[in-house]
Amino acid sequence: MDTGACPRVMQAGCEMRRSPLAADTEMEGAQEDAKGEDAEGTSCLEGAGSPAPPEPKDERQDGFASLVWEAVPGMLFQEDRQSSLHPLRLSWVLGYNSSLAVHSLMDGEARVLLYVSSHTVVIHDVLGNRQCHLQGHLNTISCLCVSEDRRWVASADRGPDALIIVWDSFSGIPVRTIFGSHPEDGVSAIAISQDAKYLVTISAGAVQRVCVWKWTLPTEKPACSTELRPDFGYQDYVSFNPQNPNEFVSNSKTQVIFYLWGSDGLQYGAPLLSRQTFKTVVGHFSQSVFHSNPTEALTGTSAGKLVVWDSTDPHCCPRELRDKPHSVKATKVVSLQKESITVLTVLESFIVTGDAKGQIKFYNGRLQLLFCYSHSKVGSIRSISFCKPPPGPAGASSAGSASCTACSQPFTRNFILSNADATVFHVATDGMNFEKVMEEAKKAVNAIACHPRQARLALGSHCGLLKVWDYEQREYLVSRIFPEASIQCLSYDPKGYFLAAGFTDGSIYILDAISLQSSCKEFKFSRGPVTHVSFSHDSEYFATADETHTVTVYKRVLQNGSRCWEHFAELCSHYKPIRSILFGVQLESNEPRLLSLGEDRHLIEYDLSISSKDHLEVLHRDRIEQIAVPLCLAWYPQLSNESFILTANSCYKMKLYNTTTKLCRKTLLGPTYGSPLEKIQILPMTNTEDLQKRYLAYITKDKVGLQILPVDGNQHKSSAFICHPDGASDLATSYDGRYIFTVGGNDCTLMKWEINLNALDAAVSLGGEDMVPFYNLLDGGREGEFFRELEDYFYYAQLHSQGIDTLEARQVSTHIPLEEIPSVMRAMGFYPSEEEIEEMLNEVKFSKYVDTGEQVTKINLEDFIKLYVNHRPAFGLSMNKIQRAFQVLGYDNENGDNVIDRGDLLWLLQYRGEHMTEDELALCLTTLLGRRPGGEGSELDTSGEAALTEEEIPAEITAEIFAADILGLPIAEPEKRTGKREMNL
């Protein structure tokens, strides 16, 4: 499945497993590696310095030059990135992971930032209002680093199938991808050496593994690695020695570890440091770096101290590098300040710290304070990134200011800093100017709504920040802070005059859509967090749903000469969480109608016309699912003479219900991209010429997608892309149907997706016409054994319907009576419940009733195949589902096996679910167990006493016995979660 890769990646055609640099430098890299190993084993790396990153030779293959070799700074934003071959293209991202560093990629006054948003690396040209998105990770990115010259960017993620990707920031091309680096839990920390030739990674597992990678060489294994003891604490920061790429240091909150790697492998030393060492409070470690003095290292702490580390033997020969990690110890602890040191870095001859109070301090090599930058609104600093050094000579010394301590040594490099409140500043050192570059949500973003008539989008977060964004001009228009309040949901009224905001404390605000000022007094009638809010088509009503399973309705009234809303009525109508509330219009009038859908499987319609103050009347209460849980709800476009309500459930099915009778009219296989549809929206019409061409936008647990309507089970009609690996919380569509917006909750990001419907239509054409897509859903396809077996059963059903023993002339037909459908379904391995059988029969029987007024009484093979693939379980019946049922219904016996008592099983079959009579149960069991009292040729004994003997059914039944011995199904081991479909039993 496509994960929405950057178009430039497709254009480059580069092999992700191997760096484009490696092909050109493989021989010289091997020679260099051999020299390096010899040097590492025998002497120190004197004069290692900071050599330039390995560069490819000017080699052209088939006249195509390497895009990486030809890339130059600034080239990334010069290309035309508007065209896309995919139905959805990520075009903008709001918000970022404020726990990770924000890097500056350019020099001078440029504002080109590098940061992480969910699973995407974003290169953001602030002044040019442009973004480039580096996509390739399946999981949320957990760490990021950039080379000294800002060209090479390395990102890593945490989760299944974790990746390490090295990007060329000039072209946006992934030059190297390392698969399976830390397969258990992914990566917690990463760093790149000063010469950009090596990477070091630390895994995120309980037992952490440290690996060194020679990423420019075509190898899938680390150069060396080692495991750390769990008592060292969780190592989450690592950095190379800029003067020696064979040394690096990492730290947890309680332990600093020094490493040396070479031909003898990876060695480390973990010096002890406690309060008793220097008789002072040290605090928790934050970050560790190497001093400009090659033998010293520094560590910042939460107590405002700086720990200085050095070798224990001052006469140690540099050639004895292999012993250095074990000989390092803390030589002193310097108290710099009271505030916690959150950032520590070394720049040229300066030691730079950032603290929890928002101060940036510069020290010389003797830890003497040179100057300090501060601002009252900065807050706790998370990262500091300096612009690249200017090409010319240093300018005049910076002007003094009240917040800067003057010094005799001028510093002229501007820098970018980010804080814990998701705000980024650009600091100009010549005038002490703190310019706010970005300010994003610092807590979960769950609320989103698109204006119904303009290119505006409202965005709310749990930190109380509400913003309105112009998504065409890509700029914020207005914002408002709700102190100590968390915004949970948003909705514009149909005309776009008002914006309703629901909060986690149960309050509702009605705001002016332009100024965000309150238009009515605050409502607080919900007893729990408000999860949904929606307006009626005429704005006479708006309704909310909350976590107490209550629907609350507000009605518009005239107050003091102006129209406003007041509380009308409420009802605790569901006993499980409410998934959707939906306003519509009565078919015979223009009056609004209101529906709610809950995880209790009930679809409830309320009668607003007869409801009164404090009394909300229920018009219909329908249980629409038997086993699956309905997850979302939408009005289906009028594509036929019959009006439908569309739902999607937890079993990957989409169902159409008649809007009046609420009868299920169709069951269809929905998109199957790892998780069911969580929310759906019908795209506004963009083509007024073809009214039958409509589309559906949806989100699953972690993906956003499009579906062509009408839904018919054709899997080529849908497409999906990873949007928020940690969970997508909501979606919205633009008024003109050009964009889809998704928010990711705890990842604090919003993503804007540009829609290309032509690409989706082309994918449908490539998938085949007529029955081809449905044949492909059968095992083996049209030419497979499964299809031939289905044909045999289908034609046998014809014989059965005409009588097996009849002597009359057979009537050759391509149809079978509807009564034969259940038998053929069961023969093909699909065992529907009685309710599912009724839904299948009604679906066929009334398929043409609205158009012709007649019922259908037979079905042909093609329509039967469509019925089969749409109604059968999406992934078959798996053994783990049977085991889960036994865990719920059974108990653990003395051997620790999960079992159901024989008597309890028989009682459950007769009195729970779809009841079976004793005779029906006896007939089923004798058939399944093949009970023949008189031998193999005897008739089946259908008496209950014969079927339920202790010899045939044990007193305690396990899931395996039930599946294999009673049902006669082959037992397959539960599959690992690889994204593949489970095998049918």
Side-chain angles (χ1 to χ4, degrees), residues 280-439:
T280 184
V281 176
V282 178
H284 287 151
F285 301 135
S286 57
Q287 294 183 357
S288 301
V289 296
F290 285 91
H291 195 284
S292 54
N293 181 340
T295 65
E296 289 185 345
L298 308 170
T299 299
T301 77
S302 61
K305 309 290 178 62
L306 201 64
V307 182
V308 181
W309 310 87
D310 204 345
S311 174
T312 57
D313 183 3
H315 305 292
C316 177
C317 176
R319 292 181 177 274
E320 298 173 359
L321 283 174
R322 68 184 65 189
D323 299 325
K324 185 173 181 179
H326 304 287
S327 62
V328 174
K329 74 170 188 178
T331 58
K332 57 183 174 180
V333 175
V334 182
S335 180
L336 296 182
Q337 59 189 50
K338 294 181 180 179
E339 296 81 13
S340 171
I341 297 175
T342 56
V343 177
L344 176 64
T345 185
V346 174
L347 179 72
E348 299 171 355
S349 60
F350 300 100
I351 298 169
V352 186
T353 66
D355 60 39
K357 196 176 179 180
Q359 302 175 112
I360 305 95
K361 297 180 179 180
F362 290 75
Y363 299 85
N364 62 17
R366 297 185 299 275
L367 296 181
Q368 296 173 329
L369 180 64
L370 300 178
F371 40 88
C372 172
Y373 295 92
S374 64
H375 193 285
S376 59
K377 296 184 179 181
V378 171
S380 181
I381 297 176
R382 284 289 173 85
S383 69
I384 301 173
S385 178
F386 292 91
C387 298
K388 291 192 292 185
S397 60
S398 59
S401 67
S403 58
C404 176
T405 303
C407 68
S408 60
Q409 204 169 2
F411 182 79
T412 59
R413 288 175 63 175
N414 299 340
F415 56 91
I416 293 290
L417 67 87
S418 66
N419 66 15
D421 292 333
T423 305
V424 179
F425 294 89
H426 177 269
V427 182
T429 57
D430 57 353
M432 272 308 301
N433 178 27
F434 279 72
E435 177 190 352
K436 187 180 293 185
V437 176
M438 285 198 315
E439 183 179 15

Side-chain angles (χ1 to χ4, degrees), residues 570-629:
E570 63 184 62
L571 180 65
C572 184
S573 48
H574 296 268
Y575 62 88
K576 285 189 177 182
I578 296 174
R579 298 293 305 198
S580 296
I581 57 172
L582 189 65
F583 273 102
V585 183
Q586 299 286 353
L587 295 178
E588 65 279 0
S589 67
N590 198 39
E591 293 299 314
R593 57 190 301 193
L594 175 63
L595 297 90
S596 66
L597 179 68
E599 291 183 10
D600 55 8
R601 302 180 177 87
H602 281 104
L603 176 63
I604 300 176
E605 181 169 3
Y606 306 89
D607 195 331
L608 298 176
S609 61
I610 66 172
S611 296
S612 59
K613 181 68 174 176
D614 298 326
H615 178 73
L616 184 59
E617 189 71 27
V618 172
L619 180 62
H620 296 291
R621 182 187 297 269
D622 298 281
R623 184 182 175 93
I624 61 172
E625 294 284 359
Q626 184 181 33
I627 298 175
V629 177

Side-chain angles (χ1 to χ4, degrees), residues 30-43:
Q31 296 170 354
E32 182 184 75
D33 186 53
K35 295 177 182 178
E37 289 187 358
D38 181 67
E40 292 157 6
T42 60
S43 66

Side-chain angles (χ1 to χ4, degrees), residues 775-795:
Y775 290 143
N776 292 336
L777 290 174
L778 301 176
D779 293 340
R782 176 67 175 80
E783 306 300 325
E785 182 180 348
F786 186 88
F787 178 81
R788 292 194 297 270
E789 185 178 354
L790 175 58
E791 277 188 317
D792 292 340
Y793 283 125
F794 192 83
Y795 293 120

Side-chain angles (χ1 to χ4, degrees), residues 761-778:
D761 293 336
V764 177
S765 301
L766 294 174
E769 299 179 350
D770 300 328
M771 287 296 298
V772 173
F774 299 95
Y775 290 143
N776 292 336
L777 290 174
L778 301 176

Side-chain angles (χ1 to χ4, degrees), residues 665 843-854 856:
R665 293 287 292 105
E843 179 175 326
V844 180
K845 185 184 299 182
F846 298 108
S847 59
K848 300 180 180 179
Y849 187 81
V850 174
D851 298 324
T852 64
E854 298 179 355
V856 176

